[in-house]
Coordinates of all heavy atoms in Angstrom, one line a residue:
F45 N -28.2 -7.8 20.9 CA -27.6 -9.1 20.7 C -26.1 -9.0 20.7 O -25.5 -7.9 20.8 CB -28.2 -9.8 19.5 CG -28.1 -8.8 18.3 CD1 -27.0 -8.7 17.5 CD2 -29.3 -8.1 17.9 CE1 -27.0 -7.8 16.4 CE2 -29.3 -7.3 16.8 CZ -28.1 -7.1 16.1
F100 N -29.3 -18.3 23.1 CA -28.6 -19.3 22.3 C -27.5 -19.9 23.0 O -27.2 -21.1 22.9 CB -28.1 -18.6 21.0 CG -27.6 -19.6 20.0 CD1 -28.5 -20.4 19.2 CD2 -26.3 -19.9 19.8 CE1 -28.1 -21.3 18.3 CE2 -25.8 -20.8 18.8 CZ -26.8 -21.6 18.1
N223 N -13.4 -4.1 46.0 CA -12.6 -5.3 45.8 C -13.1 -6.1 44.6 O -12.3 -6.7 43.9 CB -12.7 -6.1 47.1 CG -11.9 -5.5 48.3 OD1 -11.0 -4.7 48.0 ND2 -12.2 -5.9 49.5

Side-chain angles (χ1 to χ4, degrees):
F45 45 83
F100 191 76
N223 289 338

